[in-house]
C-alpha cells in the first residue's frame, strides 16, 4: 500500500509542469488577443481547447490542492485535502465532465465583520473549486482584454500598491491634491446582490462553461434573492464580480491640465474611490453611479458612502491617506490595520503552547508580510517602528531563554526582520497591460521589482527565471526565496535562490524523501 502511494506521489512530482505552464499560457495568450481584436467567436473556440487541455486540468488541481490560501478548507463533503491518487482520479473526472459540470451544495461559514454584522463564506467542495479554477483559466484572459485600467483588485499583474500609487499621482502637490475631494463609495452587500443576468449577459465563455457558472451561482443562492449573488469563497467569484462591475470606472470622467478626458477613479474589487475637483458635483456623480449599480441589482450604501476632503484624510485598503496643509501627500498604515497586526503579534508572543524559538519563527512571516505591504508608506513614525511590541517580545524571549540576553536578541532579530521602506516609490503597471499580452520582458522585469530586496536581487541574478524549473517568473504564482543549506539565518547571496511557490514545494518534497 505504501509503495502504491509512493508511486502516485512520484508520478505527480514528475509530471511535466514546465511544459504544462507553457502550453496553458500559449492558449490564454491567444484568447486575450482574439478578444482584443474583437473576435469573440475565435476566443470561445480557443476556450474549448483550454477546457480539453490536460495541462490546464493538472494545473487547476495543483492550484487548488497545493497553492491556494484556502487549500485546507473543506467543502460540504468534509474533504480538506486530496491524496495523490485522488488528484489523478479528479483529473479523469474533469476530462469526462468539464463541459457539463454539476456543482454540489456549498458549506456556509459565518465570518464576523468589524461593524458587528456577519458575512457568510460559502465554500465549494475541492472538486468544484478545481472546476472553477479550470473555467477561470479560460474566462480570465478574455475579460482581461476588456477590463478598465483603473481596476486593480483580484487581477493578474495588478495589486493594491498600484491603487496606492495612483492616489499619490492624483493627489500629490503637482496634481493640486489639496483642493480635491474623495467620494468613498461603498456598495451594499456587493457579492450578495450581483444580478445573475448581468453576469451571464457579459460573460465571454462557451455554452458548456456558461451552464457550469450558472449552476455555481445557483448553488450559493440566497432564497430571499434567487436571481442575485455570487458565493464568496469560490475561486471564480472575484472574477465574476469584476465582470459585473466593469465599466463603473467610466461613470465619471474629468478633464486634465492638457484638456484630455480621463477617469479619476480607482477600484479594488467592490471598494472604490472617485477623485473630485472643487467644481464637480458629487450628488450628480453619485446619482449616475446609483443608476449603473441598479441595472446590475446593486445599490450604494448610504450609511458608508461619504464625501471627504483630502485634507481630512481617508482610509482605503488598509492605508490612511491624507494631504497635509503644505500640500504634501502622505500614506501610512491605517489605525484599524495596525490594530489587527498588533493583535496577531500579541497573540503569538503571549501564547504558552510553544517556546521563544518557535514564537520567533511564527512571528517572522507575520512581521515581514506587514512591513512588505506597507513598504511604500511613510514608516518613520514612532508607532510604525514597532518599538513597544519588540520591547514586550524581548522580555518574553528573555524569560523563556533563561535570562540569556544574547539568545533573546538573536531571536528578536529573527522575529522582527528589518524591511526597508521607500515612500511612494512603487512603479505603477502600464495602463491596460496584462500578463496575457505576451510581453514577457516587461512582466518578468516588473515582477522582480515587486518583492523585497533579497528576492528581487535573486531574480535579477537569475535573469528573472525560476531557479528550479527555469521558466520566467511572469505568472500570478508567488515567488519564494529558497535557502539552499536549509539555514534561514544564512542570507548570503550564494545561499538564496528565487523559485516559484510550487517549485519550492517540490524542492522540499525531494529533500524529505531523499535525506
Amino acid at each position: 500500500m505504501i509503495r502504491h502511494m509512493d508511486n502516485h506521489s512520484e508520478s505527480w512530482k514528475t509530471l511535466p509542469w514546465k511544459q504544462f505552464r507553457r502550453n496553458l499560457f500559449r492558449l490564454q495568450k491567444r484568447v486575450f488577443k482574439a478578444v482584443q481584436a474583437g473576435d469573440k467567436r475565435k476566443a470561445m473556440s480557443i476556450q474549448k481547447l483550454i477546457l480539453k487541455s490536460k495541462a490546464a486540468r493538472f494545473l487547476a488541481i495543483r492550484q487548488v490542492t497545493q497553492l491556494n490560501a484556502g487549500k485546507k478548507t473543506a467543502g460540504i463533503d468534509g474533504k480538506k485535502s486530496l491524496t495523490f491518487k485522488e488528484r489523478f482520479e479528479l483529473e479523469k473526472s474533469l476530462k469526462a465532465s468539464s463541459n457539463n459540470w454539476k456543482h454540489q451544495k456549498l458549506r456556509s461559514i459565518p465570518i464576523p465583520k468589524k461593524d458587528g454584522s456577519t458575512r457568510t463564506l460559502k465554500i465549494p467542495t475541492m472538486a468544484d473549486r478545481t472546476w472553477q479554477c479550470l473555467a477561470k483559466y479560460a474566462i480570465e484572459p478574455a475579460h482581461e482584454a476588456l477590463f478598465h485600467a483603473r481596476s486593480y483588485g483580484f487581477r493578474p499583474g495588478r495589486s493594491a500598491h498600484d491603487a496606492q500609487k495612483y492616489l499619490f499621482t492624483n493627489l500629490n502637490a503637482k496634481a493640486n491634491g489639496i483642493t480635491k475631494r474623495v467620494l468613498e463609495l461603498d456598495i451594499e452587500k456587493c457579492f450578495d446582490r450581483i444580478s445573475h443576468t448581468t453576469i451571464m449577459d457579459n460573460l465571454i465563455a462557451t455554452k458548456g462553461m456558461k451552464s457550469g457558472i450558472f449552476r455555481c451561482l445557483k448553488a450559493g443562492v440566497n432564497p430571499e434573492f434567487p436571481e442575485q449573488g455570487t458565493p464568496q469563497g469560490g475561486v471564480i467569484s472575484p472574477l465574476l464580480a469584476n465582470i459585473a462591475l466593469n465599466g463603473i470606472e467610466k461613470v465619471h470622467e474629468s478633464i486634465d491640465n492638457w484638456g484630455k478626458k480621463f477617469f479619476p477613479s480607482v477600484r479594488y474589487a467592490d471598494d472604490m474611490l472617485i477623485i473630485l475637483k472643487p467644481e464637480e458635483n458629487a450628488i450628480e456623480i453619485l446619482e449616475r453611479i446609483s443608476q449603473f449599480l441598479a441595472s446590475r441589482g446593486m445599490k450604494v450604501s448610504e450609511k458608508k458612502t461619504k464625501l471627504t476632503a483630502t485634507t481630512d484624510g481617508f482610509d482605503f485598503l488598509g492605508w490612511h491617506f491624507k494631504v497635509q496643509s503644505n500640500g504634501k501627500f502622505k500614506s501610512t498604515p491605517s489605525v484599524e490595520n495596525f490594530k489587527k497586526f498588533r493583535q496577531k503579534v500579541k497573540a503569538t508572543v503571549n501564547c504558552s503552547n510553544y517556546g521563544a524559538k518557535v514564537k520567533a519563527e511564527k512571528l517572522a512571516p507575520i512581521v515581514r508580510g506587514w512591513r512588505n505591504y506597507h513598504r511604500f508608506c511613510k514608516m518613520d513614525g514612532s508607532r510604525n517602528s514597532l518599538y513597544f511590541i519588540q520591547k514586550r517580545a524581548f522580555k518574553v524571549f528573555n524569560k523563556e531563554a533563561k535570562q540569556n540576553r544574547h539568545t533573546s536578541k538573536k531571536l528578536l532579530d529573527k522575529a522582527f526582520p528589518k524591511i526597508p521602506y521607500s515612500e511612494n516609490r512603487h512603479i505603477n503597471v502600464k495602463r491596460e497591460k496584462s500578463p496575457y499580452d505576451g510581453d514577457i520582458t516587461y512582466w518578468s522585469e516588473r515582477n522582480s521589482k515587486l518583492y523585497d530586496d533579497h528576492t528581487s536581487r535573486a531574480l535579477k541574478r537569475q535573469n528573472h527565471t525560476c531557479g528550479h524549473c527555469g521558466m520566467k517568473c511572469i505568472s500570478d504564482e508567488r515567488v519564494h526565496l529558497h535557502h539552499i543549506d536549509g539555514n534561514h539565518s544564512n542570507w548570503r547571496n550564494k545561499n538564496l535562490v528565487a523559485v516559484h511557490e510550487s517549485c519550492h514545494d517540490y524542492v522540499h518534497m525531494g529533500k524529505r524523501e531523499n535525506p
Side-chain angles (χ1 to χ4, degrees), residues 217-261:
L217 294 172
K218 292 303 178 185
V221 78
N222 183 337
E224 295 179 34
F225 303 94
E227 303 300 323
Q228 292 175 276
T230 176
Q232 293 187 62
V235 173
I236 205 167
S237 296
L239 174 60
L240 297 180
N242 274 336
I243 290 170
L245 289 171
N246 188 44
I248 194 172
E249 302 87 355
K250 295 181 180 179
V251 169
H252 170 57
E253 63 180 37
S254 191
I255 306 296
D256 64 18
N257 296 333
W258 296 273
K260 292 183 178 179
K261 287 183 181 179

Side-chain angles (χ1 to χ4, degrees), residues 323-381:
V323 178
Q324 298 171 303
S325 55
N326 60 1
K328 188 176 179 182
F329 176 88
K330 184 174 81 169
S331 63
T332 56
S334 70
V335 172
E336 186 67 29
N337 179 275
F338 182 77
K339 184 180 176 182
K340 285 182 180 178
F341 166 71
R342 188 178 60 192
Q343 286 171 346
K344 279 185 184 178
V345 173
K346 189 176 178 182
T348 306
V349 170
N350 293 338
C351 184
S352 58
N353 293 341
Y354 32 76
K357 187 177 179 181
V358 177
K359 287 179 181 179
E361 289 173 355
K362 288 183 175 291
L363 280 172
I366 296 173
V367 175
R368 188 180 291 110
W370 187 78
R371 281 185 159 156
N372 271 330
Y373 187 75
H374 297 297
R375 68 187 183 277
F376 301 114
C377 289
K378 186 174 177 61
M379 295 290 281
D380 56 1

Side-chain angles (χ1 to χ4, degrees), residues 338 378-390:
F338 182 77
K378 186 174 177 61
M379 295 290 281
D380 56 1
S382 58
R383 185 190 73 175
N384 299 322
S385 71
L386 309 183
Y387 171 77
F388 293 105
I389 294 176
Q390 288 175 293

Side-chain angles (χ1 to χ4, degrees), residues 159-327:
S159 70
H161 291 128
D162 292 307
Q164 182 188 33
K165 184 57 181 274
Y166 183 76
L167 288 172
F168 166 73
T169 305
N170 284 273
L171 296 177
N172 62 20
K174 288 181 181 178
N176 207 18
I178 197 168
T179 66
K180 295 179 179 177
R181 298 161 296 157
V182 169
L183 183 61
E184 301 177 61
L185 182 68
D186 186 270
I187 303 171
E188 190 174 307
K189 296 183 178 180
C190 174
F191 281 84
D192 295 334
R193 296 291 179 268
I194 295 173
S195 163
H196 292 172
T197 305
T198 298
I199 293 172
M200 301 312 295
D201 286 350
N202 289 283
L203 192 64
I204 302 171
T206 64
K207 189 176 179 181
M209 271 193 293
K210 279 194 171 186
S211 297
I213 295 295
F214 190 69
R215 292 183 191 121
C216 164
L217 294 172
K218 292 303 178 185
V221 78
N222 183 337
E224 295 179 34
F225 303 94
E227 303 300 323
Q228 292 175 276
T230 176
Q232 293 187 62
V235 173
I236 205 167
S237 296
L239 174 60
L240 297 180
N242 274 336
I243 290 170
L245 289 171
N246 188 44
I248 194 172
E249 302 87 355
K250 295 181 180 179
V251 169
H252 170 57
E253 63 180 37
S254 191
I255 306 296
D256 64 18
N257 296 333
W258 296 273
K260 292 183 178 179
K261 287 183 181 179
F262 77 111
F263 306 102
S265 63
V266 57
R267 181 171 69 84
Y268 193 94
D270 60 331
D271 291 322
M272 187 172 178
L273 297 177
I274 298 171
I275 301 166
L276 303 178
K277 292 179 180 178
E279 67 274 13
E280 290 173 331
N281 190 326
I283 296 173
E284 184 182 309
I285 293 164
L286 194 57
E287 179 60 33
R288 290 205 300 270
I289 288 170
S290 295
Q291 290 171 8
F292 176 94
L293 291 174
S295 67
R296 286 155 174 77
M298 296 171 279
K299 65 178 181 178
V300 171
S301 171
E302 294 181 8
K303 188 191 294 184
K304 296 180 182 177
T305 296
K306 54 186 176 180
L307 187 65
T308 310
T310 56
T311 49
D312 291 337
F314 57 93
D315 289 352
F316 187 59
L317 301 178
W319 294 303
H320 181 73
F321 300 96
K322 188 174 183 179
V323 178
Q324 298 171 303
S325 55
N326 60 1

